[in-house]
């Protein structure tokens, strides 16, 4: 049972009717998040959460306000005003100067065509830039070069003081929707259905100074690129509106693998097919990607898919993970995943290995001895091929967190401090490990009684 600590208990309103495909009972033994803190302050949709350090995070959304929070206590640290329209991107930017105390900064971009740098320690505005010709849709920090990039109708490179170092020419009215850092001072930018590779000039070469120039255009996607992530120094991955996932070499930008049959039941024979008259593009849209060294985890339509990079195929899937589109997904340090959806729910999944069926014994009859078992051999080969195409793992629902009354946009995982979620209901919820919180309260009470002398300790 959930315990509401702030804001009072209430039944979420307006949620989609829960699907019977995946349900978990009230006794969610493997779900530790049995307490929650409701954080209020925003006046509109909260779209972004960004981690500042081990116990602080920032939230932002359509009201144009940035809040800084303590992830342990839920305390509101600062309320940052400076934008006049909704916030479109946010990124942390910590100082890397070894000679001064480390500073935690955040950069925010808004539909008011401004970008602001904030000091997270004082809550003050450090710098503001208002020279943009279009809305900045994405921000990326290149810590190694100590610069940050803004993506809109062009690509701009800035230093910590918000000096414009260099920029591209006008790319497109639609603008850059996503950026990711690549090796050798390169970045990949998603511009519609194209992927453009840019290279930054070597900042150590003082004679030439800073410059950014286009080196390649990749046009393998058939529709707009919605998701773009870096797996490691060798690999990055993109996902499109029509469900295409492409794995790229991060050094020479060649296509290493691709998958576009996520929603095709023939590609997943263990999944019960659905009868539909038509297929909405949103049901195949790659909304979000995350990864570890082995797999890419994709939120596609209402489902979750696990794509193994070495095998170059899907090894597990849950086609109906939620009742509406999955907006965000993250892999936890253990074998668990967390997903959130437009249906207002947050769900915990565990990736488990399937029990493989034992191989059928080979017949030892007379005809088989003399090689007349061709039909049986073909049957075994077909069976083997089907086993190879069948996912070897499955995703089991182990927790269902119901607290928001509208679409959950994204979340942050803080380890033992819990989970922070944000939603279109204007709320942020901190989900806490109930047993841990109860133990901490008991310990605090014990220490307080001991200090007051109300508790006689016997040695």
């Amino acid at each position: 049972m959930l315990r509401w600590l702030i804001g009072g208990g209430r039944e979420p309103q307006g949620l989609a009717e829960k699907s019977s495909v995946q349900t978990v009972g009230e006794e969610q033994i493997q779900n530790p998040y049995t307490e929650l803190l409701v954080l209020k302050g925003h006046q509109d949709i909260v779209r972004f959460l960004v981690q500042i350090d081990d116990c602080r995070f920032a939230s932002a959304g359509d009201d144009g306000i940035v809040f800084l929070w303590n992830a342990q206590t839920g305390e509101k640290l600062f309320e940052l005003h400076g934008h006049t329209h909704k916030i479109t991107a946010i990124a942390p930017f910590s100082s890397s100067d070894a000679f001064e105390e480390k500073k935690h900064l955040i950069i925010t971009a808004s539909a008011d065509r401004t970008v602001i740098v904030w000091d997270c320690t004082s809550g003050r505005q450090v710098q503001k830039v208002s020279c943009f010709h279009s809305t900045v849709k994405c921000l990326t920090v290149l810590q190694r070069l100590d610069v940050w990039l803004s993506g809109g109708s062009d690509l701009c490179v800035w230093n910590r003081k918000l000096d414009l170092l260099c920029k591209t020419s006008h790319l497109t009215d639609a603008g850059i929707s996503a950026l990711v850092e690549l090796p050798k001072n390169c970045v990949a930018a998603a511009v519609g259905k194209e992927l453009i590779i840019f290279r930054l000039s070597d900042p150590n070469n003082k004679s030439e100074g800073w410059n950014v120039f286009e080196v390649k255009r990749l046009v393998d996607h058939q529709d707009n690129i919605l998701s773009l992530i870096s797996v490691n120094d060798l690999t990055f991955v993109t996902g499109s509106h029509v469900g295409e996932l492409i794995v790229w070499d991060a050094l020479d930008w060649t296509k290493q693998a691709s998958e576009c049959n996520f929603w095709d039941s023939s590609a997943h024979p263990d999944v019960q097919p659905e009868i539909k008259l038509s297929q909405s593009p949103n049901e195949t849209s790659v909304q979000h990607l995350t990864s570890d060294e082995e797999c890419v985890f994709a939120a596609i339509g209402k489902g979750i898919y696990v794509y193994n990079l070495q095998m170059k195929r899907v090894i597990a899937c849950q086609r109906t993970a939620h009742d509406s589109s999955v907006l965000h997904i993250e892999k936890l340090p253990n074998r668990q995943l967390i997903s959130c959806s437009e249906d207002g729910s947050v769900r915990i999944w565990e990736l488990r290995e399937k029990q493989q069926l034992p191989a059928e014994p080979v017949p030892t009859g007379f005809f088989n001895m003399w090689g007349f078992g061709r039909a049986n051999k073909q049957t075994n080969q077909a069976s083997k091929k089907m086993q190879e195409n069948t996912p070897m793992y499955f995703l089991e629902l182990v927790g269902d967190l119901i607290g928001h009354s509208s679409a959950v946009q994204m979340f942050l995982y803080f380890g033992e401090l819990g989970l922070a979620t944000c939603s279109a209901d204007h709320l942020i919820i901190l989900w806490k490990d109930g047993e841990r919180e109860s133990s901490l309260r008991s310990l605090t009470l014990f220490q307080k009684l001991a200090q007051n002398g109300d508790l006689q300790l016997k040695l």
Side-chain angles (χ1 to χ4, degrees):
M1 180 180 294
L2 289 174
R3 293 189 284 274
W4 295 71
L5 303 186
I6 296 178
R10 60 187 178 89
E11 281 293 322
Q13 300 295 320
L15 294 181
E17 183 179 349
K18 288 297 157 191
S19 169
S20 60
V21 176
Q22 281 288 312
T23 58
V24 60
E26 290 187 7
E27 294 297 326
Q28 300 182 37
I29 300 174
Q30 299 178 71
N31 175 16
Y33 303 114
T34 56
E35 289 190 8
L36 52 83
L37 299 169
V38 180
L39 312 184
K40 297 181 178 180
H42 283 285
Q43 304 301 314
D44 210 328
I45 299 174
V46 189
R47 298 188 185 274
F48 303 103
L49 299 175
V50 63
Q51 187 168 346
I52 299 169
D53 53 28
D54 290 341
C55 63
R56 290 184 299 169
F57 69 97
S59 62
D62 289 5
D63 59 8
I65 307 171
V66 182
F67 288 92
L68 269 57
W69 307 91
N70 183 306
Q72 172 66 54
T73 63
E75 177 189 1
K76 184 195 300 180
L77 303 175
F78 294 106
E79 186 172 330
L80 311 181
H81 294 265
H83 291 295
T84 58
H85 291 74
K86 69 178 182 179
I87 290 173
T88 54
I90 184 170
F93 191 9
S94 299
S95 65
S96 57
D97 193 339
F99 299 101
E100 64 179 21
E101 185 179 355
K102 186 173 184 180
K103 290 183 179 179
H104 292 283
L105 308 172
I106 54 172
I107 312 170
T108 55
S110 169
D112 62 13
R113 298 187 180 183
T114 66
V115 168
I116 299 177
V117 177
W118 309 88
D119 187 323
C120 297
T121 303
S122 64
R124 294 178 179 176
Q125 182 175 304
V126 178
Q127 289 283 352
K128 184 175 184 177
V129 177
S130 307
C131 62
F132 296 96
H133 299 296
S134 66
T135 300
V136 172
K137 297 182 178 180
C138 52
L139 298 166
T140 297
V141 175
L142 308 183
Q143 290 285 2
R144 186 178 60 83
L145 299 177
D146 201 31
V147 299
W148 59 276
L149 313 178
S150 62
S153 59
D154 47 26
L155 177 65
C156 300
V157 182
W158 309 81
N159 64 13
R160 188 176 297 277
K161 298 178 180 179
L162 266 71
D163 298 322
L164 179 60
L165 303 176
C166 57
K167 62 181 293 188
T168 65
S169 58
H170 181 88
L171 294 171
T172 173
D173 291 336
I176 299 171
S177 59
L179 286 166
V180 68
E181 181 179 7
L182 301 179
K184 299 180 180 179
N185 293 353
C186 291
V187 294
V191 182
K193 64 178 68 173
E194 291 186 327
L195 196 63
I196 306 178
I197 308 298
F198 294 98
R199 176 173 281 121
L200 278 67
S201 64
D202 187 356
N204 295 322
N205 190 342
K206 301 298 182 182
S207 60
E208 295 184 6
W210 285 91
N211 192 19
V212 57
F213 53 94
E214 179 182 325
V215 293
K216 194 169 186 179
R217 289 201 176 210
L218 308 174
V219 293
D220 296 72
H221 278 290
Q222 301 301 311
D223 206 337
N224 290 341
I225 299 170
L226 301 182
S227 304
L228 173 60
I229 61 162
S230 174
V231 177
N232 50 43
D233 290 339
L234 301 175
T235 307
F236 70 102
V237 181
T238 53
S240 79
H241 184 65
V242 292
E244 307 160 300
L245 183 144
I246 299 180
V247 181
W248 305 90
D249 187 300
L251 298 176
D252 61 13
W253 319 305
T254 56
K255 185 167 70 171
Q256 299 298 299
S258 63
E259 175 67 64
C260 61
N261 293 319
F262 291 105
W263 61 92
D264 184 1
S265 60
S266 64
H268 310 291
D270 63 327
V271 178
Q272 188 70 25
E274 299 178 21
I275 300 175
K276 294 184 178 179
L277 298 178
S278 62
Q279 192 156 24
S280 167
N282 290 334
E283 295 183 7
T284 64
S285 178
V286 183
Q287 294 292 112
H288 188 242
L289 295 170
T290 189
S291 71
D292 57 17
E293 286 295 319
E294 296 180 5
C295 297
V296 172
F297 306 91
I300 303 177
K302 300 177 183 179
I304 299 172
Y305 296 80
V306 182
Y307 181 87
N308 186 280
L309 291 166
Q310 185 175 2
M311 298 179 185
K312 296 182 179 180
R313 66 184 180 89
V314 174
I315 61 169
C317 67
Q318 183 54 251
R319 295 181 67 201
T320 314
H322 291 264
D323 293 312
S324 298
S325 294
V326 182
L327 300 181
H328 195 82
I329 181 173
E330 288 294 341
K331 170 77 163 53
L332 301 190
N334 49 33
R335 297 183 67 84
Q336 290 186 338
L337 299 171
I338 297 182
S339 60
C340 65
S341 167
E342 285 183 345
D343 66 13
S345 66
V346 181
R347 291 186 158 186
I348 307 171
W349 307 86
E350 187 164 308
L351 186 63
R352 296 184 177 175
E353 190 169 359
K354 286 185 175 180
Q355 296 294 327
Q356 298 294 326
L357 295 175
E360 294 183 6
V362 178
T364 57
F366 174 82
F367 290 104
N368 188 68
M369 290 174 58
W370 292 96
F372 297 130
R374 183 183 301 273
N376 186 73
K377 183 177 181 181
Q378 291 176 344
T379 302
N380 285 343
Q381 288 177 343
S383 176
K384 183 178 180 181
K385 186 175 182 180
M386 182 174 292
Q387 283 187 356
E388 289 176 351
N389 292 332
T390 303
M392 298 175 294
Y393 298 84
F394 68 99
L395 290 166
E396 180 170 339
L397 179 63
V398 297
D400 205 351
L401 311 183
I402 303 298
H404 288 289
S405 60
S406 192
V408 181
Q409 302 294 317
M410 67 171 296
F411 53 85
L412 288 176
Y413 176 68
F414 280 94
E416 64 179 12
L417 294 185
L419 187 74
T421 58
C422 66
S423 170
D425 62 11
H426 311 175
L427 299 177
I428 297 166
I429 294 181
L430 290 180
W431 303 85
K432 297 288 188 177
D433 184 326
E435 290 187 7
R436 180 179 182 273
E437 295 301 309
S438 179
S439 298
L440 290 175
R441 285 192 294 269
S442 297
L443 180 60
T444 301
L445 178 61
F446 183 88
Q447 291 173 340
K448 187 177 294 185
L449 290 173
Q451 289 174 358
N452 294 338
D454 297 333
L455 184 66
Q456 297 296 327
L457 298 178
K458 295 183 180 180
L459 298 178

